[in-house]
Amino acid sequence: MMKKLIISLIIAMISATTLCAAEVHVPTEEQAMPNVKKGGIISGHVIEKGSEEDIPYANIYVSEIKNGTATNETGHFELKNLAPGKYTLRVSALGYRTQTKEVTVSKEYATVVHFEMIAEALEMEEVVVSANRNEVNRREAPVVVNIAGPKLIETVNSTDLAKTLNYLPGLRVENNCQNCGFPQVRINGLEGPYSQILINSRPVVSALSGVYGLEQIPVNMIERVEVVRGGGSALFGANAVGGTINIITKDPINNSFKISSNFANMNGDAWEQYMGANASLVSKDNSYGIAVYESYRNRNAYDHDGDGFSELGKLNMNTFGLRTYYRPNHSSRINLEYHTTNETRRGGNKFDLQPHESDITEQTKHIINSGGVSYDKFWNEYKHKLSVYGYVQHIDRNSYYGAQRDPNAYGKTDDLTWVTGATYTGNMDKCFFSPATFTGGLEYQENKLHDIMTGYNRDMQQNVRIASMFVQNEWNMNLFSLLVGARMDKHNLIDDPILSPRVNLLFKPNDNLQARLTYSTGFRAPQAYDEDLHVTAVGGEGVQITLADNLKEERSNSFSGSIDWTTQLGHWQSNILLEGFYTGLDDVFVLEDIGENAEGFVLKERRNGSGAKVYGLNLEAKFAHGKDVVLQMGATAQRSRYNRPEVWTEVDGVELTTRRMPRTPDFYAYMTLTTSPFKNFEASLSGTYTGEMIVPHYAGYIEKDCMENTPDFFDINLKLNYTFVLRDHIKLQLNTGVQNIFDSFQKDLDKGEFRDSGYFYGPTQPRTFFIGLNIMN
């Protein structure tokens, strides 16, 4: 029944794909593994330490071949057709400490291995790839890597990436437009364009897709999100100034499926529906597998203050994607992935009319297609690895950014991004004074953007080409690891090549204590960014951003130090991470008014300012009492200041300046609390705190431009869910709850057609009631 159900789901999601059911393997229900006499096989059993209960559906991953399987209903697993040699097995299961064992496979006999898993509510040993481009245990990573996984996504009831990122230390997501809902993530106080967004470690998220990209990535395509704070250009190139957000999509590991549905209502006024489906299949010999996902989201426009103009725009989105692999032999793997999004969003008023018949409308229609292929080759007992890859993303956007019933404010944008490269990784038994891992590579990326908006007299053509090479070496000693690396980027809009070095030192006296020191660099090129491609309406007029002729690249130097401590406090397991950070920015980008264009629209120019500095502390704490109670919290205290006052507007011939970076609070925090008082039931409490900040408020609804001091906000959410176990180990989960219980929302919103749509701050969602269900195996 399980096999038929999974195959039916995939056929429904990919009608053009035919799968041979005879080649699909479903784990057996036998109480013991078959008696295998031939070699090239690893068989084993996974149980809980102490109770010795079987652990079904635990993930078994073989690091050398980048593949694996899952245990069956009785906790047994089997890996076949392995070449003789040494392999590293990593076993992970929700609620248990990850275990790793090295085994030797013989061609003469089967290798048998057993795992006794220790219950652990805090997941501290996840494998990450964003620290050094290689798979490494999070505790052994040379930099701090924070992870948002399926459990966090479920706890905070996220339907898109934007809602999830608020619950990681040093990160804060805000909505920058009252009309269309333009989300932006800030890392350590630095605005969105300072962060590099990657998909499976590839920089294919262009400036255009960064405008609404956080909401266009559904959570059911995400396996996990890895975040590295601080300059990351030494690894990932341009724009990794404030940090790097690496989205790892779901990979086929075992035979599974999940169907999700969620209905939500915002303050009794607007509805939102979400539906998602996932399925994955893996062949009997693990030589190939496929994982597919599909999601649908529909949100009605929400008007918080009753003026007839939306605070959250109307949204309709369909996404589909797949990730598949094929292993020609034991030492190689071909990976293929494809993602497509069709999205329409509209904000403003008079939604029943055409955009140019309304007082204000911001409307976009996106068709996004992206995909990639990679080839991994291992040799010399998997000590060496070569990866060759190519990825591409195309966006077709039709837009309307207009006010005052302007018939000429329609626009069209065509955006093509592609990247190709190769990476070599070699493990050395000794390099000068200790074992080491060398990583080097070449990368070339290109972005072609053509943006036309007749009403704003704009015909922007921008071609960005970046050729890069990078090298790094990581020495691994008993108590220390030292990583030294650098990347060279030649950007066609910058005269000279840019060198971005990094140095990371990890001190690890034992498994429960790690201390890190980090120096890293980053840069932003003088090119159009996401906010340049989003036209804000202020006072019924359009505001357009242009680039100064002599605009130079913006550079950063980041320093950080951290202590990561895990300990047992009685029956409580705890982990505390304290990190101090400092980022200095040179030739920082600032916006200044330069008048109006021929059509009477306000023009702002991006220029180089004197510089800026951002510094502060991040605190992350986790406490768990077995699986019964898990508490996670984080807080950031920081300062974001320009080196000297920067002009942000002019009123009555007088320039108004600020040294404090706008829209950046000096303190913000988050928390999640989950408890399971009895079997199959779970209650979750989560929330975020946003401290006071300054936000520019431009004339239109108000008489003159001014800098406003905002109040602080605390929004809190409650979620309850109960899981029913049905036949054939199929689970039905029902959930309900309230987001932003106390309706903590901006109270001084501008109203009417002359409002400043950019004057929007605080929590991105009002009080929302929701109910949902999940069906899965």
Side-chain angles (χ1 to χ4, degrees):
M1 177 180 175
M2 186 73 67
K3 177 178 69 176
K4 293 180 179 179
L5 181 57
I6 295 175
I7 294 176
S8 298
L9 279 172
I10 290 187
I11 292 175
M13 296 166 70
I14 320 174
S15 59
T17 303
T18 302
L19 296 174
C20 181
E23 295 179 337
V24 176
H25 171 66
V26 178
T28 71
E29 298 186 11
E30 297 175 356
Q31 296 300 312
M33 298 302 298
N35 184 20
V36 180
K37 296 182 179 181
K38 64 180 181 179
I41 291 176
I42 300 175
S43 64
H45 191 196
V46 180
I47 62 174
E48 182 179 85
K49 186 175 182 178
S51 69
E52 297 189 355
E53 292 184 0
D54 299 328
I55 300 179
Y57 311 117
N59 289 321
I60 316 296
Y61 185 79
V62 184
S63 302
E64 287 77 9
I65 63 175
K66 296 188 69 175
N67 205 349
T69 186
T71 59
N72 61 16
E73 291 87 345
T74 63
H76 293 88
F77 69 92
E78 186 177 75
L79 294 160
K80 295 181 178 181
N81 300 322
L82 296 172
K86 292 184 178 180
Y87 294 88
T88 304
L89 270 62
R90 185 176 72 247
V91 180
S92 60
L94 188 62
Y96 295 91
R97 182 181 301 174
T98 299
Q99 283 195 29
T100 301
K101 287 186 178 182
E102 187 176 273
V103 299
T104 300
V105 172
S106 169
K107 63 180 179 179
E108 303 295 334
Y109 54 85
T111 300
V112 180
V113 60
H114 297 280
F115 290 87
E116 291 186 340
M117 305 291 284
I118 300 174
E120 180 180 69
L122 300 182
E123 297 180 1
M124 302 303 303
E125 299 189 12
E126 303 102 322
V127 172
V128 296
V129 295
S130 303
N132 54 13
R133 279 186 177 259
N134 300 311
E135 291 185 344
V136 62
N137 187 300
R138 182 183 171 192
R139 287 186 175 184
E140 299 175 357
V143 297
V144 175
V145 181
N146 291 106
I147 295 177
K151 183 60 179 176
L152 176 61
I153 292 171
E154 178 184 334
T155 298
V156 301
N157 202 53
S158 294
T159 55
D160 58 62
L161 177 61
K163 294 178 183 178
T164 307
L165 295 179
N166 269 322
Y167 295 90
L168 292 175
L171 273 67
R172 190 176 66 85
V173 177
E174 62 183 14
N175 193 328
N176 286 161
C177 181
Q178 201 175 356
N179 288 332
C180 67
F182 163 31
Q184 185 176 132
V185 61
R186 290 174 177 262
I187 300 182
N188 285 349
L190 295 174
E191 60 182 344
Y194 285 94
S195 303
Q196 176 74 290
I197 299 178
L198 310 169
I199 296 180
N200 293 322
S201 302
R202 312 304 179 202
V204 293
V205 179
S206 66
L208 179 63
S209 59
V211 179
Y212 304 109
L214 295 180
E215 278 199 319
Q216 291 171 340
I217 299 175
V219 294
N220 71 324
M221 74 173 277
I222 299 172
E223 176 63 33
R224 66 184 185 277
V225 180
E226 300 180 5
V227 176
V228 178
R229 297 182 294 272
S233 291
L235 270 183
F236 300 110
N239 306 334
V241 175
T244 303
I245 300 172
N246 193 3
I247 302 162
I248 309 300
T249 59
K250 290 184 181 295
D251 203 30
I253 298 295
N254 54 15
N255 301 321
S256 63
F257 78 93
K258 183 177 182 179
I259 300 173
S260 302
S261 181
N262 189 83
F263 293 88
N265 181 271
M266 292 177 280
N267 269 333
D269 294 329
W271 286 93
E272 179 173 346
Q273 303 88 39
Y274 167 84
M275 295 190 68
N278 293 76
S280 66
L281 281 172
V282 177
S283 67
K284 184 177 180 179
D285 60 357
N286 294 304
S287 62
Y288 64 86
I290 182 172
V292 297
Y293 72 89
E294 186 172 26
S295 70
Y296 168 79
R297 184 181 178 192
N298 184 74
R299 182 182 69 198
N300 301 132
Y302 173 72
D303 177 10
H304 188 75
D305 55 9
D307 66 344
F309 292 78
S310 65
E311 269 66 60
L312 294 176
K314 185 178 181 180
L315 175 67
N316 185 277
M317 182 172 65
N318 289 277
T319 61
F320 170 79
L322 62 86
R323 193 175 184 187
T324 184
Y325 72 87
Y326 172 67
R327 292 173 51 207
N329 50 55
H330 301 294
S331 61
S332 62
R333 171 169 160 150
I334 300 171
N335 307 283
L336 177 68
E337 62 183 281
Y338 171 72
H339 312 279
T340 182
T341 299
N342 192 323
E343 183 215 58
T344 300
R345 66 172 63 216
R346 176 175 174 173
N349 75 330
K350 299 181 180 178
F351 291 88
D352 56 330
L353 301 178
Q354 292 297 315
H356 64 271
E357 297 176 324
S358 66
D359 299 304
I360 291 179
T361 286
E362 295 186 18
Q363 175 178 286
T364 59
K365 295 182 179 181
H366 292 89
I367 298 177
I368 305 173
N369 288 282
S370 62
V373 61
S374 63
Y375 174 71
D376 300 325
K377 176 66 178 178
F378 301 86
W379 68 93
N380 193 11
E381 296 184 347
Y382 300 97
K383 290 184 177 180
H384 300 270
K385 173 188 173 183
L386 176 66
S387 296
V388 181
Y389 56 87
Y391 284 75
V392 63
Q393 181 188 76
H394 179 261
I395 303 176
D396 181 14
R397 183 180 83 165
N398 290 282
S399 61
Y400 181 91
Y401 290 102
Q404 304 291 298
R405 293 166 290 280
D406 183 0
N408 298 313
Y410 290 93
K412 184 172 178 60
T413 310
D414 188 84
D415 183 74
L416 177 65
T417 302
W418 61 275
V419 58
T420 186
T423 302
Y424 164 76
T425 301
N427 294 287
M428 297 169 281
D429 295 331
K430 189 171 184 180
C431 178
F432 298 113
F433 49 84
S434 76
T437 300
F438 172 83
T439 303
L442 302 173
E443 189 171 82
Y444 179 84
Q445 56 181 300
E446 185 170 335
N447 173 246
K448 293 182 179 181
L449 170 72
H450 190 192
D451 185 52
I452 302 173
M453 293 194 71
T454 306
Y456 297 106
N457 195 28
R458 179 167 78 184
D459 188 342
M460 177 193 296
Q461 296 189 57
Q462 177 177 270
N463 293 331
V464 175
R465 298 180 298 276
I466 307 175
S468 313
M469 64 176 295
F470 55 89
V471 294
Q472 68 175 31
N473 202 60
E474 184 174 3
W475 288 270
N476 296 296
M477 296 156 273
N478 291 330
L479 298 179
F480 293 91
S481 68
L482 173 66
L483 186 149
V484 179
R487 178 175 174 130
M488 183 77 73
D489 290 282
K490 180 61 183 78
H491 198 294
N492 67 307
L493 301 181
I494 303 174
D495 292 335
D496 300 319
I498 293 179
L499 178 66
S500 302
R502 69 179 296 207
V503 180
N504 307 105
L505 178 65
L506 169 65
F507 173 57
K508 44 183 180 179
N510 55 59
D511 290 339
N512 296 323
L513 180 65
Q514 298 88 39
R516 296 174 174 89
L517 292 174
T518 298
Y519 166 70
S520 57
T521 57
F523 75 95
R524 292 175 70 197
Q527 64 187 69
Y529 287 96
D530 50 12
E531 68 268 39
D532 307 352
L533 305 171
H534 165 266
V535 181
T536 301
V538 179
E541 296 182 340
V543 177
Q544 182 182 338
I545 298 173
T546 61
L547 307 181
D549 292 336
N550 59 346
L551 188 65
K552 297 187 296 183
E553 74 273 10
E554 184 177 0
R555 302 296 300 269
S556 75
N557 291 277
S558 298
F559 303 86
S560 69
S562 66
I563 295 178
D564 192 348
W565 180 46
T566 303
T567 188
Q568 197 79 22
L569 301 173
H571 295 290
W572 290 81
Q573 183 189 9
S574 64
N575 173 257
I576 297 175
L577 171 68
L578 181 64
E579 177 190 47
F581 62 88
Y582 174 90
T583 297
L585 302 173
D586 297 320
D587 297 317
V588 63
F589 294 159
V590 296
L591 292 176
E592 296 185 18
D593 289 335
I594 58 173
E596 299 180 349
N597 64 7
E599 287 73 27
F601 298 118
V602 177
L603 292 179
K604 291 181 178 293
E605 185 176 68
R606 175 171 287 109
R607 298 174 177 175
N608 290 115
S610 59
K613 53 183 175 291
V614 178
Y615 55 93
L617 292 172
N618 284 314
L619 173 66
E620 182 181 17
K622 303 177 181 179
F623 304 94
H625 188 276
K627 299 179 183 179
D628 298 330
V629 180
V630 179
L631 172 64
Q632 299 188 42
M633 61 183 73
T636 299
Q638 64 166 71
R639 295 291 184 272
S640 303
R641 302 293 187 266
Y642 296 115
N643 291 342
R644 68 185 184 197
E646 297 291 349
V647 177
W648 67 274
T649 192
E650 183 178 308
V651 177
D652 298 331
V654 179
E655 292 183 338
L656 301 185
T657 63
T658 179
R659 280 202 63 191
R660 183 177 177 182
M661 286 187 178
R663 308 188 71 95
T664 302
D666 288 339
F667 184 80
Y668 47 99
Y670 72 91
M671 59 79 63
T672 64
L673 172 67
T674 60
T675 178
S676 300
F678 52 88
K679 188 177 181 180
N680 296 339
F681 175 79
E682 183 176 86
S684 303
L685 196 68
S686 60
T688 63
Y689 172 81
T690 304
E692 300 175 356
M693 56 184 170
I694 60 172
V695 176
H697 194 180
Y698 293 100
Y701 179 73
I702 62 173
E703 183 178 353
K704 296 180 179 181
D705 298 351
C706 65
M707 188 70 78
E708 303 280 5
N709 291 286
T710 72
D712 59 352
F713 294 91
F714 179 62
D715 68 285
I716 190 166
N717 319 300
L718 174 67
K719 181 179 180 180
L720 308 174
N721 67 66
Y722 189 86
T723 302
F724 300 88
V725 179
L726 309 179
R727 58 178 299 183
D728 290 328
H729 301 277
I730 296 176
K731 298 177 182 178
L732 169 65
Q733 183 186 86
L734 301 179
N735 61 78
T736 186
V738 186
Q739 293 175 310
N740 199 351
I741 294 174
F742 302 113
D743 201 24
S744 181
F745 205 75
Q746 181 180 347
K747 291 181 171 57
D748 63 338
L749 293 161
D750 278 7
K751 297 183 178 181
E753 60 183 305
F754 298 108
R755 67 183 183 178
D756 172 10
S757 64
Y759 184 60
F760 196 36
Y761 59 86
T764 59
Q765 188 171 345
R767 181 190 293 119
T768 303
F769 301 89
F770 66 87
I771 185 171
L773 65 86
N774 299 310
I775 302 174
M776 54 197 164
N777 68 338

